């Protein structure tokens, strides 16, 4: 059989927009503010930034390198280099399914709120919190929205790498940046906004615990789309003349920049209107409309714009999660792109509807002590991604030839990567140790012990049967 030419990105900008599109998502705009809010604000933010800029960037360079070197998505890439490591790729595909078991639910909420901004949501500010609660706990409405959201994913990914994913990223990402900057300016110019800026930028490290560290590490991995083969998959479509370290730097800076921008858009307004920062997962959906409700007609427009931005950001990320599974089915199982997209999308629809129902009618049903939505969320964010990132670092530091890495990162010696030695030492020693310490401290202090043990057991079983995968 003749080998088909691998799909590839059409341009450098297209790749950066797609990779930044994957990174920038609900993680930055929905999760980052409430994680910062519930973990004490600025100390959490500084730790998160340190993790993102040291560990995150290094792991991203590693994922790009392995993906482009092997020209294969996660599972195939590990397998091609060392069969004992196939499991690390499989763990990534499982993570993709699990994240897509809750991500479309929130993506659906965001899409619904575009419309709701116009249909009276803002007219009664006092009822916004209850309206959100009623909406997400109902059975049918959020399910319909998540299916619409998933359908958009399926359409984009079915069109392929450069025709679908890259085009969408190139249009949607700049739109998002523009909108966020606009909202941030509005927010910091409100009277009383100073408290929010202080909350964001004046650290108090006395409240930092093992939990905070794990939350910040998980957030760094989640937000940068690392630890589950996503950037590896995107790297596999990258041409040999691209500078991998500099691309990783750009993507990381864009991603952390957007997270901070989202913080600046939300917290000053929050303080200006006297709302509690620690309200949790509903933060964006409850607080943002409440903020805009006090601004009249202009508020309706800002609110709609905000939720368009959130939907857009979510879409360019979920597309990359779907692509991880699709690329696996194409590379390892030889399936056609369309068939892979429909099959993977179908499974994700079922998981997401269950997650959505777990907010309401199925709230009594728990797995290892948590509802289905939290099961997928906690398991990926608190265990799978961090361990996935650690496995990648160990793999690169100890199981890939140093010369091969240097060759890949310098494009065969044609470009310079001055920090190669530092990067290599980070991957080989520092990152595995750092992640291990943080993970142990965090896991020990976490309430859901059953869930943690389950997660670790899944990884152990996969590792044992690696050669059979
Ligand atoms: N980085 C995305 C976000 O911040 C989520 C994501 C995680 C995407 C893992 C791909 C892989 O929302």
């Amino acid at each position: 059989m003749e080998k088909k030419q691998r799909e590839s990105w059409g341009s450098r900008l297209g790749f950066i927009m797609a990779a930044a599109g994957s990174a920038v998502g609900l993680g930055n705009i929905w999760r980052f503010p409430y994680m910062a809010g519930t973990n004490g604000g600025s100390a959490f933010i500084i730790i998160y930034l340190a993790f993102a800029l040291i560990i995150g960037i290094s792991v991203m360079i590693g994922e790009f390198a392995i993906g482009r070197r092997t020209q294969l998505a996660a599972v195939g890439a590990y397998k091609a280099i060392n069969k004992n490591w196939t499991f690390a790729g499989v763990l990534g595909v499982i993570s993709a399914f699990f994240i897509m078991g809750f991500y479309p639910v929130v993506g659906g909420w965001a899409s619904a709120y575009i419309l709701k901004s116009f249909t009276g949501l803002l007219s009664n500010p006092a009822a916004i919190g209850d309206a959100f609660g009623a909406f997400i706990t109902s059975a049918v409405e959020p399910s319909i929205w998540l299916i619409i959201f998933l359908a958009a994913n399926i359409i984009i990914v079915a069109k392929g790498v450069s025709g679908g994913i890259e085009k969408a990223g190139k249009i949607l990402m700049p739109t998002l940046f523009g909108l966020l900057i606009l909202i941030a300016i509005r927010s910091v110019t409100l009277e009383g906004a100073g408290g929010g800026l202080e909350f964001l930028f004046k650290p108090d490290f006395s409240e930092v615990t093992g939990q905070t560290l794990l939350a910040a590490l998980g957030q760094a991995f989640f937000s940068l789309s690392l630890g589950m083969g996503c950037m590896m998959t995107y790297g596999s479509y990258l041409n040999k003349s691209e500078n991998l370290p500099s691309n990783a730097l750009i993507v990381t800076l864009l991603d952390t920049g957007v997270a901070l921008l989202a913080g600046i858009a939300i917290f000053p307004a929050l303080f200006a209107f006297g709302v509690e920062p620690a309200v949790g997962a509903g933060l964006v959906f409850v607080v943002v409309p409440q903020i805009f409700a006090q601004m009249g007609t202009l508020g309706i427009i800002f609110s709609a714009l905000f939720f368009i931005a959130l939907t857009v950001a979510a879409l360019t990320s979920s597309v990359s999660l779907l692509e991880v599974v699709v690329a696996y089915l194409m590379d390892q199982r030889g399936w056609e792109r369309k068939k892979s997209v429909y099959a993977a999308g179908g499974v994700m629809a079922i998981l997401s509807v269950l997650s959505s129902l777990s907010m309401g009618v199925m709230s009594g049903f728990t797995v290892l002590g948590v509802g289905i939505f939290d099961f997928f969320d906690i398991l990926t964010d608190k265990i799978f991604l961090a361990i996935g990132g650690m496995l990648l670092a160990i793999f690169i530091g100890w199981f890939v030839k140093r010369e091969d890495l240097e060759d890949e990162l310098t494009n065969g010696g044609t470009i310079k990567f001055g920090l190669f030695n530092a990067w290599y030492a980070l991957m080989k020693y520092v990152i595995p140790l750092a992640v291990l310490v943080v993970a142990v401290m965090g896991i020990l202090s976490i309430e859901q012990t059953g869930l943690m043990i389950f997660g670790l057991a899944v990884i152990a079983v996969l590792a044992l049967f690696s050669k059979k995968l």
Side-chain angles (χ1 to χ4, degrees), residues 9 34 58 70 77 79 111 148 186 378 394 416 469:
W9 305 106
Y34 91 74
S58 307
T70 56
K79 197 177 203 165
S111 333
I148 294 174
R186 180 73 197 103
I378 299 172
I394 298 175
K416 266 212 160 78
L469 294 169

Side-chain angles (χ1 to χ4, degrees), residues 24-47:
V24 175
L26 293 173
N28 306 61
I29 307 175
W30 163 69
R31 179 184 250 137
F32 175 75
Y34 91 74
M35 291 293 272
T38 49
N39 284 290
S42 132
F44 170 87
I45 295 175
I46 290 171
I47 297 168

Side-chain angles (χ1 to χ4, degrees), residues 24-25 28-30 33 172-188 254-266 284 288 292 302 305-310 313:
V24 175
N28 306 61
I29 307 175
W30 163 69
L172 298 179
M173 289 310 290
T175 313
L176 171 71
F177 294 143
L179 284 176
L180 267 181
I181 290 173
L182 207 76
I183 296 170
I185 293 173
R186 180 73 197 103
S187 182
V188 291
L254 282 174
D255 185 68
T256 45
V258 170
L260 289 177
L261 202 57
I264 297 172
I266 288 170
V284 160
V288 170
F292 292 133
F302 273 123
L305 285 179
F306 179 83
F307 288 110
I308 290 172
L310 191 59

Side-chain angles (χ1 to χ4, degrees), residues 41-113:
S42 132
F44 170 87
I45 295 175
I46 290 171
I47 297 168
Y48 152 79
L49 283 177
F51 283 156
L53 295 175
I54 302 169
I55 298 182
I57 248 184
S58 307
V59 170
M60 192 181 294
I61 293 173
E63 289 206 17
F64 284 165
I66 298 295
R68 190 176 67 172
R69 183 90 188 164
T70 56
Q71 296 281 295
L72 289 167
V75 178
Y78 275 110
K79 197 177 203 165
I81 297 176
N82 186 330
K83 284 205 170 50
N84 288 323
W85 282 82
T86 312
F87 80 100
V90 172
L91 179 65
V93 173
I94 295 176
S95 300
F97 269 116
F98 279 18
I99 297 177
M100 283 304 269
F102 72 91
Y103 208 89
V105 177
V106 184
W109 297 346
S111 333
Y113 267 60

Side-chain angles (χ1 to χ4, degrees), residues 6 21 23 41 67 77 91 102 135 241 303 413 451 467:
R6 189 169 188 78
L91 179 65
F102 72 91
F135 168 60
S241 64
S303 171
L451 196 55
K467 283 216 173 86

Side-chain angles (χ1 to χ4, degrees), residues 170-253:
K170 264 205 312 222
I171 302 168
L172 298 179
M173 289 310 290
T175 313
L176 171 71
F177 294 143
L179 284 176
L180 267 181
I181 290 173
L182 207 76
I183 296 170
I185 293 173
R186 180 73 197 103
S187 182
V188 291
T189 50
L190 287 168
E191 203 173 316
L197 291 173
E198 204 163 285
F199 182 78
L200 280 175
F201 298 115
K202 214 169 140 201
D204 169 11
F205 287 99
S206 64
E207 303 275 305
V208 173
T209 63
Q211 281 267 19
T212 323
L213 292 179
L214 184 61
L217 184 70
Q219 175 64 23
F221 278 110
F222 185 86
S223 175
L224 289 167
S225 306
L226 297 174
M228 42 84 61
C230 182
M231 291 302 179
M232 215 182 274
T233 304
Y234 272 23
S236 76
Y237 304 127
L238 203 49
N239 87 41
K240 292 283 181 191
S241 64
E242 284 297 340
N243 184 330
L244 301 180
S246 83
N247 278 319
L249 178 68
I250 296 173
V251 172
T252 305
L253 291 180

Side-chain angles (χ1 to χ4, degrees), residues 30 101-102 105-106 109 132-139 142-143 146 281-282 352-365 371-375 377:
W30 163 69
F102 72 91
V105 177
V106 184
W109 297 346
F132 177 70
F135 168 60
I136 65 164
T137 51
S138 63
S143 299
L146 83 82
S352 294
V353 168
L354 289 174
S355 262
S356 179
L357 294 177
S358 78
M359 299 271 150
V361 284
M362 280 175 64
S363 64
F365 179 80
I372 301 171
F373 184 107
D374 291 338
F375 176 81
D377 182 357

